[in-house]
Amino acid sequence: MLDSIVETQEASELDSLQPSDVLVWKNQAGEGIHAAYCIASGFVFNKMGQSWEQPWSVIDIKEILDYAEVISGGGKIVIYRKSNPE
């Protein structure tokens, strides 16, 4: 289970991402819109859609920071982090 949950809207707080963090973009209504998995400081394992034609990729978090205009539309990025990642 998750031992701690960190919630943020501020891009500056994303500088503290740790490998194994799970990022979930939630719109203003609290619905999950997108998710990515942090593999290294500032880089996430990501898929830009649900179809087979859209590949998995490793990208800089800055490239998808405002995915689907979630942040600029009043939503937020929620970071899920284990207290003792392995």
Side-chain angles (χ1 to χ4, degrees):
M1 287 310 291
L2 296 174
D3 294 323
S4 64
I5 297 175
V6 178
E7 293 189 21
T8 183
Q9 269 185 249
E10 303 298 325
S12 61
E13 292 182 39
L14 294 175
D15 292 340
S16 65
L17 285 177
Q18 299 175 9
S20 78
D21 285 352
V22 175
L23 290 76
V24 178
W25 282 251
K26 291 188 176 186
N27 64 16
Q28 196 170 17
E31 302 167 321
I33 301 299
H34 188 67
Y37 181 78
C38 183
I39 60 167
S41 181
F43 290 91
V44 294
F45 189 55
N46 181 67
K47 189 170 190 322
M48 294 301 275
Q50 297 179 4
S51 71
W52 289 105
E53 294 85 22
Q54 295 166 312
W56 289 96
S57 59
V58 174
I59 60 173
D60 189 311
I61 184 64
K62 294 173 189 164
E63 293 182 40
I64 59 167
L65 189 59
D66 197 19
Y67 180 85
E69 299 178 344
V70 167
I71 303 298
S72 59
K76 62 184 172 184
I77 298 173
V78 179
I79 303 170
Y80 295 93
R81 176 179 298 154
K82 291 183 180 181
S83 62
N84 295 316
E86 296 173 15

